[in-house]
Amino acid sequence: MTGQTKPASYCTDRKWKGRADCSHCGIRRLMLFSELPEVSFAHLLKPIDNFVLVPGGILYEEGKGGEVVYSIRRGLVKLMHSKPSGEQRIVRLLGQGAVVGLELLDAGVPYQHTAMAVQPVDVCAIPVSTLRDLEAHHPELCDRIRQQLQYHVDRADHWIKTLNTGVARDRIAQLLLLLTELAPDRNGDIQLLPRDDMAAVVGMTPETASRIIADFRRRGLLAKIAPGTYRIEKQRLQRLCEANAGTE
Amino acid sequence: MTGQTKPASYCTDRKWKGRADCSHCGIRRLMLFSELPEVSFAHLLKPIDNFVLVPGGILYEEGKGGEVVYSIRRGLVKLMHSKPSGEQRIVRLLGQGAVVGLELLDAGVPYQHTAMAVQPVDVCAIPVSTLRDLEAHHPELCDRIRQQLQYHVDRADHWIKTLNTGVARDRIAQLLLLLTELAPDRNGDIQLLPRDDMAAVVGMTPETASRIIADFRRRGLLAKIAPGTYRIEKQRLQRLCEANAGTE
DNA sequence: CGGTAAATTGACTGCTCTCAATTTACGTGG
DNA sequence: CCACGTAAATTGAGAGCAGTCAATTTACCG
């Protein structure tokens, strides 16, 4: 139970990096366990595994049972709901510090979304039972979990307000601004999403998303830095969204 | 501190019904305190007040500080976000058993929405400090709060998927189905929302909402029972949403 | 019964979708 | 390193849906 043995769930789109060493985690201040004393990690019954996923890699699938939640150390994850018609609607984009799969804390409830990496992702898989054990001895963890859920609520509300309201152009602009918040590289540039993902985020067709992106590029609001990497004119995009009567 | 004195926040759209008597609450099984022993309510430092609000009455306003969360005993409440442009977007509709204002549990955070009654509402105002006190002695309350937040997350996700996706007609149909779930009267009939509210829920203009409702009435999917009260053809509306290629 | 607000309806514009053709990007194997 | 094949992105043309603005009708409160 203690050796560095690859877990059974190992597969091609998920690369195991080892057991997580929470007490030496470089970004623990951002994470779920930020307030826990180091000694608490010494005698966990189940291991916390650390994974890397390539874009397209699946963390978990809607409707399936499971026993781990994922804490995102790096990268960008999309949460999707599938509609009766079969198509997928993206309901959230999450980056560093977010925890996904917390719905499992209600006993018997399966994952509510399909969670997929849209950029290379580094996650820790925390067993629900471990969470419950730690919670029993550290009531402050309960607050951290509550804050995580509140974060999801706030994100969802902001999503409804900014990404699902108004004309197509403004919604795409808001999406670009969101990407700048969630997943900027060291220069503040962003990786654009595939057009179908953009469409599934804001609720339009990929063609319309493509037209708007092309238009933004022609107008210099968006400049290609490298394949997939773009620099955005943040302030001009913000003005674009707020003033709908602008002369832009 | 113990007598039946009207609280200072008394105002015209909010009618005080008295101190809540949680241990004899008729619908406690649905509420936040369902698992707490009756004795715990005996020595609360601050009172839990019981209010009734008429449609249009405000529970709290976005950005303002506060010290109580509201547990909905009866009626329908809308949560609104105001956009920079000034208009309001409705991000949630909540009925019996839901608790709103839980964002206050993060110290220093103001209310994130404006909460307004859309139908006559009966609520209990629970001081945040009371919640914290009870939580300290009853860890299971922490689970109830977590479940409440999870409920809000699930609702928000469902909102994005059903009310903010697809053509206008389907979204209005989904809204009618949601109202049937949240606030059916004893006959299963519903109170329609004002057209501006419908528009603010699904993200369209009041005119378009009106046209669709009028069309539903002409096609017999919706029948007026009394002023404001309508009977809906639930199954036909469901078919309408699911099969977009239907011959309806 | 009158006044105001809400809802309905019409005409027209314009945005977004649909379907299809074309171009570009990218991974694979020679 | 280049050529190729596939997938993604872009672009075009046309139709239909939803928005806008305005007029009219209906509902509701006092």
Side-chain angles (χ1 to χ4, degrees), chain A residues 140-158:
Chain A
E140 64 271 27
L141 180 57
C142 179
D143 284 336
R144 298 291 294 181
I145 291 172
R146 185 177 44 68
Q147 285 165 7
Q148 270 296 327
L149 284 173
Q150 184 66 51
Y151 177 76
H152 281 255
V153 173
D154 293 345
R155 278 294 166 195
D157 290 346
H158 187 254

Side-chain angles (χ1 to χ4, degrees), chain B residues 130-149:
Chain B
T130 300
L131 225 43
R132 276 197 241 276
D133 288 348
L134 287 170
E135 201 176 1
H137 298 94
H138 303 283
E140 63 272 26
L141 180 57
C142 179
D143 283 336
R144 298 290 294 181
I145 291 173
R146 186 176 45 68
Q147 284 164 8
Q148 270 297 328
L149 285 172

